[in-house]
Amino acid sequence: MDTTERPAAGPVRVSGLDGPAPLSGRIETRSIDYVPANERHGKVWHQGPFWFTGNFVLTTMVTGFIGPSLGLGLGWSVLAVVLGACFGTFFMAFHANQGPRMGLPQMIQSRAQFGLRGAILPFAAVVFVYVGFNVFNVILATEGLQTVLPGGKVFWYAALIGVAVVLAIIGHDLLHLVQRWLTYILIAVFGILTVGAAVNLDVHAPATGGGLDWTSFLIVFSAAAGYQISYAVYVSDYSRYLPANVPARKVIWWTYAGAAGSAAWLMSLGALIASALPEPSAIGAIRQVGNDIMPGFGTFAVLLSSVALIGIMAVNAYGAMLTTTSAVDAFRPVRPTIRVRVTGIGVIAVVVFVVALVLPDDYLANFNDFVLMMLYFLVPWTAVNLTDFYFVRRGHYSIAAIFDPKGPYGNWQWRGMVAYVAGFAAMVPFFKISFFTGPVADALGGADLSFLVGLLVSGVLYAWLGRGIDTAAEQAAEADADAALGAREA
């Protein structure tokens, strides 16, 4: 694939050449608009710690609880989450390469496959993911802080969401800085915690369960894979400021190493804890294991985990703002001002606050279903998006056309929509969640293979339908736009 930069001229909100610099004071002003070459910055290795910390949160560890809760043995639980995390991160990492090539946030790139308005289809699923994760995150962070500090749910929900909102409004560079420095602290603290858990916990307790059960193994594998794929919806948001000439392999590798490494570690720790403790909770388990190492250490680890949750809440709020702005822009052009930025993040924050308040106390009982539903909705999108980028259009896009309803992508792209719906429909018979079991999953004893079906059906179908796209004509128009933009930048 040709990975050279291919920007395009267009309205101010696209190229940004006549607009503000990327920061006004300390607040990022870029939103869904294109990041031009003269504003690109950052180091490619920063993707590693950013995604390490982004994934090193208590919700990741909870995913590791699933195997032992199903009676799966510790060794098989660890193998399932490690393989699932590595599999899911593969797709996420390849999305990261789109950021520096296109200079755009992740989801708005979907307009090339679905059309300006057709992209609402995956946008709706993505906003569900953002809100859902932040609801789980704010509840867990509140439980962590309440182990030491006074205050009820309403106070802490509002305070934590408020801090996340401030971080998200300031934007890209501050989020990278916070995540990068948290990485070093998290590695040190959880390194000690992991060693302590391995030494002190009795992994031969009855909760360890039996041997290998393929149904349970596949459920855990799918949950870990789905959890990682969920990050794909905003991975380019945090690589789009990189210079366009950074090697693709380095962007992919650093993203993969950070995200897969932290997921495999924390999910495995979760499996270890759940195999030794009869009814583990994320907060209680960390506090118990840490305090067994040294009095107060577990409490400190819980507080640090709560801080890390605030960071990923900010990352989610930032991505949700970009996605909702992209959706509104498809029907009514949006100038990406700071006011729009604040409004978008504020609306998402209110929704998260309300949902967190009304969610029942046993919310974690629904966590596995939530992760699997993310997998169901996002797998067809990631298959279509990656197939288009790497095999159909091969990285050649007109950035101006992504904002132009009269351009080659138009308002509706039937190929992407058909491939997405067909892939999702093909997955339904393979679904296995608490309130629904598809006929094929039932015949397989409850094994959930839907993600493989969705990837194959959506990806292969889109590749076949994509043969009808006149990529030569699109690339000719793109070359003209490149030339125009080059003249303006000079």
Side-chain angles (χ1 to χ4, degrees):
M1 185 198 73
D2 184 355
T3 58
T4 55
E5 182 187 17
R6 297 186 178 277
V12 169
R13 67 191 183 93
V14 179
S15 68
L17 295 179
D18 300 320
L23 294 177
S24 176
R26 296 185 63 84
I27 299 178
E28 178 194 10
T29 57
R30 294 282 169 224
S31 177
I32 61 172
D33 45 341
Y34 166 70
V35 180
N38 61 338
E39 294 177 8
R40 302 293 187 94
H41 62 281
K43 299 178 180 179
V44 68
W45 71 266
H46 288 173
Q47 298 297 309
F50 181 89
W51 290 111
F52 181 94
T53 296
N55 223 4
F56 211 87
V57 290
L58 294 178
T59 41
T60 306
M61 190 176 76
V62 170
T63 306
F65 290 175
I66 297 172
S69 72
L70 297 174
L72 196 63
L74 173 59
W76 293 114
S77 294
V78 170
L79 181 62
V81 293
V82 169
L83 291 179
C86 291
F87 178 81
T89 310
F90 175 85
F91 301 93
M92 169 197 171
F94 275 85
H95 281 294
N97 183 44
Q98 296 169 321
R101 310 309 157 207
M102 300 181 69
L104 292 173
Q106 186 69 68
M107 289 309 298
I108 201 169
Q109 300 171 18
S110 298
R111 290 179 172 184
Q113 300 93 49
F114 295 89
L116 272 72
R117 295 182 177 177
I120 297 296
L121 181 64
F123 285 1
V126 168
V127 172
F128 166 77
V129 170
Y130 285 133
V131 172
F133 259 127
N134 266 8
V135 167
F136 284 112
N137 290 336
V138 74
I139 293 174
L140 280 172
T142 295
E143 289 181 2
L145 293 175
Q146 285 178 328
T147 60
V148 177
L149 302 172
K153 291 194 299 185
V154 173
F155 170 78
W156 282 114
Y157 289 176
L160 295 173
I161 292 172
V163 174
V165 164
V166 171
L167 293 174
I169 288 173
I170 295 175
H172 177 276
D173 286 359
L174 179 61
L175 290 171
H176 260 283
L177 181 66
V178 170
Q179 297 292 85
R180 189 161 61 249
W181 282 103
L182 274 174
T183 295
Y184 309 125
I185 304 173
L186 286 168
I187 288 175
V189 171
F190 274 82
I192 297 172
L193 195 73
T194 301
V195 172
V199 171
N200 295 329
L201 291 179
D202 179 11
V203 298
H204 299 293
T208 303
L212 172 62
D213 175 76
W214 280 110
T215 299
S216 299
F217 186 90
L218 287 172
I219 290 173
V220 177
F221 179 93
S222 297
Y227 188 91
Q228 292 302 97
I229 289 175
S230 70
Y231 285 96
V233 301
Y234 54 18
V235 66
S236 280
D237 299 355
Y238 301 97
S239 63
R240 75 189 197 277
Y241 278 94
L242 288 173
N245 61 354
V246 297
R249 66 183 183 278
K250 290 186 177 181
V251 180
I252 294 169
W253 164 247
W254 278 111
T255 302
Y256 188 93
S262 59
W265 178 358
L266 210 53
M267 288 179 187
S268 297
L269 177 60
L272 171 62
I273 289 172
S275 295
L277 303 180
E279 294 183 2
S281 69
I283 301 298
I286 288 179
R287 193 177 186 186
Q288 176 181 333
V289 171
N291 287 342
D292 285 344
I293 297 171
M294 177 172 41
F297 184 75
T299 302
F300 173 73
V302 167
L303 294 176
L304 177 62
S305 300
S306 299
V307 172
L309 283 167
I310 297 173
I312 195 60
M313 284 168 58
V315 170
N316 287 335
Y318 181 89
M321 176 272 298
L322 294 174
T323 301
T324 53
T325 302
S326 300
V328 173
D329 181 76
F331 295 89
R332 180 179 179 180
V334 174
R335 181 176 176 80
T337 62
I338 293 178
R339 170 185 272 184
V340 169
R341 180 193 200 83
V342 172
T343 301
I345 293 173
V347 169
I348 295 296
V350 171
V351 172
V352 169
F353 179 77
V354 172
V355 175
L357 283 178
V358 301
L359 205 65
D361 291 337
D362 63 343
Y363 67 97
L364 279 179
N366 302 313
F367 185 73
N368 185 37
D369 283 344
F370 172 71
V371 172
L372 289 174
M373 288 175 68
M374 287 192 308
L375 183 71
Y376 299 154
F377 283 114
L378 297 181
V379 157
W381 166 78
T382 197
V384 169
N385 185 265
L386 290 177
T387 299
D388 186 67
F389 186 85
Y390 287 101
F391 300 105
V392 176
R393 289 188 169 94
R394 299 179 181 273
H396 294 267
Y397 296 89
S398 171
I399 305 303
I402 285 179
F403 295 88
D404 183 6
K406 297 180 180 179
Y409 309 135
N411 280 321
W412 308 94
Q413 280 286 315
W414 64 269
R415 293 178 180 86
M417 298 177 71
V418 167
Y420 180 94
V421 172
F424 185 85
M427 292 170 67
V428 172
F430 295 83
F431 286 178
K432 178 63 175 74
I433 43 183
S434 64
F435 55 86
F436 175 78
T437 299
V440 178
D442 187 51
L444 294 173
D448 189 335
L449 300 176
S450 59
F451 62 95
L452 293 176
V453 175
L455 287 170
L456 288 172
V457 172
S458 291
V460 172
L461 180 57
Y462 186 81
W464 182 72
L465 295 174
R467 297 181 305 168
I469 299 175
D470 189 352
T471 55
E474 286 186 5
Q475 290 178 26
E478 177 192 358
D480 291 341
D482 287 355
L485 180 57
R488 293 177 68 189
E489 287 186 325

